[in-house]
Amino acid sequence: MNRFISLSLAFLFFSVRPAFSQGGFWARSPEFSPARFWPIAGGGALIYGASLVGLNNVWYKQYPRSSFHFFDDHKEWMQMDKAGHIMTAYTEANWSYNAFRWAGVKEGTSIWLGAGTGFLLQSGIEVLDGFSTEWGFSWSDMLANTIGAALFASQQSKYGEQRIILKVSNTPVRYAVTPIVSLDGTSTSSLQERASDLFGDVYSQTFFKDYNAVKFWVTVSPDAYLPAGVQYKPGWLSLSMGYGAGNLYGGFANKWVAKNGAVYELGQKEYPRLRMVLFSLDVDFARIPTKDPFFRGFFHTINFIKIPAPTLEISGTGKVKFRWLYF
C-alpha cells in the first residue's frame, strides 16, 4: 500500500495548494483559466510520471521482472489492501476535483476529471505490478480503485458535497521480541523482526503499510441527512465505523521464509488472523464553520485523517473492547 500512497503524496502539491485558500488569488476561477489549468495538468502529469519512474527504480528493481501477468490477490491481507485502494482512489479524486474547480473547470467536468484522475493514478502502479514476479496485475485492485473514484463522483454529482467520507488512522503495534523457532529448529526470529521485514521501521512507512496498525473508516455527519430547517449542532461532530485486522504476518497465511532460508509458521490458535469492526466519533473538518480562507482550505485538505476518539472495538473472535482514546 505504501507504493500507491507515495504517488498520492507526490500528486498532492497540485491538488492541495488550490484548496488552501478559497479567497484572493487562490479563489476558484469563475470561468476556465488556461493559466491555471495547464500548470496543474502538465505539472501533475510530470510529477506523476517522474514518481512512477522513481518508484520503478527504487522499489520494483529490487525484485525479478517477468512478462506481463495477472495475479489474484483478493484474499490477501484480509482485504486490508483493497480498503486502502478504495480510500486512496477516493481521496485522490477529491483532491483532483478541487484542483480542477480552482482552474475554472465546470462542476460536472471537474467531477469526472477528478474521478478519472484518481482511478488512473492507481492504474499505473497496477501496470508495474504486472511486470513484477513478486506481484501481478490485479483485477480486484482495479475494482477497488473504481469503487473509490465512483464513490466520490456519485456523491459530488448528487449532493454537491461529500457526505460519506473515507478516512485512515494508525495505532502503532508493539511487536513481541520473544524468540520464534523455525520449523526445522535451527534458527530463531521474532514477531518484531518479521514486522520490520514486512512493514518497515519508520512510522512514515508503517502508517500506511502496517496492516496490523492501520484502520480505514467511513465517517458520516448526521447534519448531512437532516431535513432543511432541522438543526444538528455541532454539525462537524460525526459518527464513524472502521475496519481493521490483526495478527497478519503474511499475505495469505502466517507462514514465511526468512532471508536465510529458514521457514517459520505461527499457529492459528496462538495468533489468530482476525478482522475487527470499530465504532467511534470523528470530526468532519469540512463542516467546521470558518470565514478564514486559509483554515477553510486546510480543513478540507486534512479531512482524510480520522481523529483519535473513544472507540468500541469488536474483533472477529467476538471479543469487545472499549478504548477511551483510539487512533
Side-chain angles (χ1 to χ4, degrees):
M1 180 178 166
N2 65 321
R3 289 170 290 137
F4 56 80
I5 285 291
S6 65
L7 292 185
S8 303
L9 297 179
F11 190 75
L12 182 62
F13 175 82
F14 285 92
S15 52
V16 170
R17 279 195 66 191
F20 267 133
S21 176
Q22 301 294 319
F25 175 76
W26 291 107
R28 289 178 175 176
S29 176
E31 58 185 20
F32 179 72
S33 171
R36 295 184 178 189
F37 177 81
W38 291 115
I40 289 175
L46 180 63
I47 285 185
Y48 178 66
S51 299
L52 282 178
V53 173
L55 190 62
N56 178 64
N57 291 331
V58 173
W59 182 273
Y60 287 95
K61 280 191 174 180
Q62 301 179 43
Y63 304 96
R65 301 299 179 92
S66 69
S67 59
F68 187 82
H69 63 285
F70 297 89
F71 178 63
D72 183 6
D73 64 347
H74 77 279
K75 293 183 179 180
E76 196 174 26
W77 300 112
M78 302 194 82
Q79 292 77 51
M80 285 295 292
D81 60 325
K82 301 300 175 283
H85 275 273
I86 292 172
M87 180 266 172
T88 305
Y90 168 85
T91 303
E92 290 173 337
N94 199 354
W95 287 341
S96 302
Y97 159 82
N98 281 313
F100 290 124
R101 288 294 288 134
W102 171 79
V105 179
K106 293 181 179 180
E107 173 73 6
T109 304
S110 293
I111 291 173
W112 295 112
L113 283 176
T117 300
F119 176 79
L120 289 174
L121 285 175
Q122 303 308 305
S123 300
I125 299 176
E126 288 305 316
V127 173
L128 291 178
D129 280 351
F131 287 101
S132 174
T133 56
E134 189 75 11
W135 299 279
F137 185 94
S138 169
W139 285 113
S140 56
D141 282 352
M142 294 297 287
L143 175 60
N145 298 336
T146 303
I147 292 173
L151 177 62
F152 164 78
S154 59
Q155 291 190 90
Q156 200 65 38
S157 297
K158 184 173 183 179
Y159 305 119
E161 63 177 356
Q162 296 298 299
R163 296 186 176 184
I164 299 173
I165 303 168
L166 303 187
K167 297 195 176 190
V168 63
S169 70
N170 180 295
T171 299
V173 177
R174 292 185 178 181
Y175 293 101
V177 296
T178 307
I180 299 173
V181 181
S182 62
L183 293 183
D184 63 7
T186 62
S187 301
T188 60
S189 184
S190 67
L191 294 183
Q192 184 183 67
E193 184 177 340
R194 175 57 175 166
S196 177
D197 290 340
L198 277 176
F199 311 129
D201 299 301
V202 184
Y203 191 56
S204 60
Q205 291 179 316
T206 61
F207 185 89
F208 293 106
K209 190 178 180 183
D210 189 343
Y211 292 131
N212 295 312
V214 68
K215 306 293 182 290
F216 298 104
W217 302 82
V218 176
T219 289
V220 177
S221 169
D223 183 58
Y225 293 95
L226 292 176
V230 179
Q231 289 189 331
Y232 165 80
K233 292 186 177 181
W236 46 261
L237 184 60
S238 304
L239 304 175
S240 194
M241 184 173 71
Y243 174 65
N247 289 328
L248 301 185
Y249 298 98
F252 296 97
N254 289 338
K255 184 176 182 179
W256 68 93
V257 180
K259 294 178 181 178
N260 63 359
V263 180
Y264 296 88
E265 184 172 11
L266 303 177
Q268 177 64 16
K269 183 177 181 180
E270 295 83 4
Y271 302 96
R273 293 167 65 90
L274 51 83
R275 307 174 193 273
M276 61 185 70
V277 179
L278 308 108
F279 300 92
S280 184
L281 299 175
D282 193 20
V283 170
D284 182 350
F285 290 99
R287 294 183 182 277
I288 295 179
T290 177
K291 294 182 180 180
D292 187 289
F294 173 83
F295 283 107
R296 187 161 58 244
F298 177 72
F299 288 150
H300 278 273
T301 300
I302 65 173
N303 212 24
F304 70 102
I305 297 293
K306 163 73 170 64
I307 67 163
T311 301
L312 182 69
E313 174 191 309
I314 305 175
S315 73
T317 60
K319 189 174 182 179
V320 178
K321 291 182 181 179
F322 179 76
R323 306 176 188 269
W324 285 105
L325 198 62
Y326 189 72
F327 186 54

